[in-house]
Amino acid sequence: MRIPWRRRLPPVFVHCAYAEDLKTHPDYRAAKLRGDAEAAHRLIENLAAEATLDKIADSILREETHVVSPAKDEHFSNNALAPTYAVWLAAQLDLHFHGDIYLADRRKRDLSNGWERLVNPSTFYGRVPENSDFIVADDVCTVGGTIADMISFLELNGGRVVCATALAASGGSDVPLAISDATRVGLEREYGGALDAFLREGLGHGIECLTEREARLFLGKGPSLDRVRDALARAADASDDREGQADRGREA
């Protein structure tokens, strides 16, 4: 369940570029696809940027701050990057790594397609220490939806998120998180109240819960909702096809 942004968070602090740095690193495949935590640690040590660490450190408000990652239980995942990054970050900043929250199994989706990410939100389970501060640490940030979903989970269960970070993003720049006032005004000017009502019915939340990059997907597709419906329907169909292929592969 996605909730409205309760405060203006900083952008997702990013260390490096996804295509140019992360994917080309010699330890990437072992860390991302084979669950090799040692390879993940070497990669993080190579690509971490001191300036990014400084920005994360400046966001910490108190000592009792936990670092969490939107990752599956290690028994059900071959990706060691996000949890290893969270553990590494906690050690670097002398914080607590909280490993009792997990990403629930989700459908296969095209990680580069923002529409597929919208129709397949992330869900989480686990114990959230109440009245604690959190830093969300992920391996890659695309449109920010997974991070936003984890922030909602944490804050609905009594936590407070002070910032989020990712090893990599497109271009290597920090990624804006909450929808900006300018983008919100642009969507309202383009669609009136129709888009907000449509999202509440179809996704379970309104415009105020979107990330900046999610919201930009809708700009230029109005004022009719037809192109939005088509984009979301194609994304759902593609995800269904991908999930069917995965099921057939498991059966084989």
Side-chain angles (χ1 to χ4, degrees):
M1 177 182 178
R2 187 80 71 86
I3 62 174
W5 300 100
R6 293 178 172 174
R7 71 191 68 85
R8 181 61 63 179
L9 289 171
V12 178
F13 298 131
V14 173
H15 291 272
C16 67
Y18 173 64
E20 297 84 353
D21 301 318
L22 185 65
K23 282 196 74 175
T24 59
H25 193 280
D27 284 314
Y28 174 75
R29 291 184 64 81
K32 182 77 173 183
L33 304 178
R34 297 198 292 273
D36 188 331
E38 291 185 2
H41 190 270
R42 288 194 300 269
L43 179 153
I44 293 162
E45 286 281 349
N46 289 163
L47 297 180
E50 193 67 34
T52 300
L53 276 177
D54 289 343
K55 287 186 283 188
I56 298 168
D58 288 343
S59 300
I60 298 169
L61 301 176
R62 54 181 179 168
E63 288 186 15
E64 291 299 316
T65 299
H66 303 266
V67 183
V68 293
S69 72
K72 293 181 182 179
D73 185 313
E74 63 182 7
H75 296 100
F76 303 102
S77 174
N78 293 320
N79 182 4
L81 276 176
T84 304
Y85 174 44
V87 171
W88 178 89
L89 183 64
Q92 293 294 310
L93 299 177
D94 196 24
L95 301 175
H96 308 276
F97 169 68
H98 184 69
D100 293 339
I101 300 171
Y102 301 102
L103 174 66
D105 196 19
R106 64 187 176 195
R107 310 186 79 196
K108 297 290 183 181
R109 59 188 185 171
D110 179 355
L111 298 184
S112 65
N113 188 316
W115 297 104
E116 281 197 43
R117 288 176 167 270
L118 272 172
V119 298
N120 292 291
S122 301
T123 58
F124 298 87
Y125 64 95
R127 181 183 64 84
V128 178
E130 290 190 14
N131 302 315
S132 295
D133 285 358
F134 291 90
I135 295 170
V136 177
D138 205 356
D139 55 349
V140 179
C141 181
T142 305
V143 296
T146 300
I147 289 174
D149 290 333
M150 189 170 206
I151 290 172
S152 291
F153 174 80
L154 291 167
E155 301 210 336
L156 279 170
N157 287 279
R160 180 178 69 163
V161 175
V162 295
C163 73
T165 175
L167 279 172
S170 177
S173 299
D174 293 347
V175 178
L177 199 48
I179 181 174
S180 67
D181 292 338
T183 299
R184 187 198 303 264
V185 169
L187 291 176
E188 291 172 350
R189 183 181 298 120
E190 186 171 346
Y191 295 94
L195 178 62
D196 189 71
F198 174 77
L199 293 179
R200 290 182 187 280
E201 180 179 351
L203 301 182
H205 62 76
I207 288 173
E208 75 279 4
C209 301
L210 295 173
T211 70
E212 175 67 10
R213 288 189 174 181
E214 287 174 336
R216 289 178 187 174
L217 293 171
F218 297 95
L219 289 172
K221 294 193 178 297
S224 167
L225 290 171
D226 290 344
R227 293 171 68 189
V228 171
R229 288 192 184 95
D230 288 345
L232 291 171
R234 286 195 302 271
D237 289 344
S239 183
D240 287 343
D241 291 344
R242 195 169 289 107
E243 189 70 13
Q245 293 172 4
D247 288 341
R248 289 190 292 273
R250 284 191 288 268
E251 291 170 359

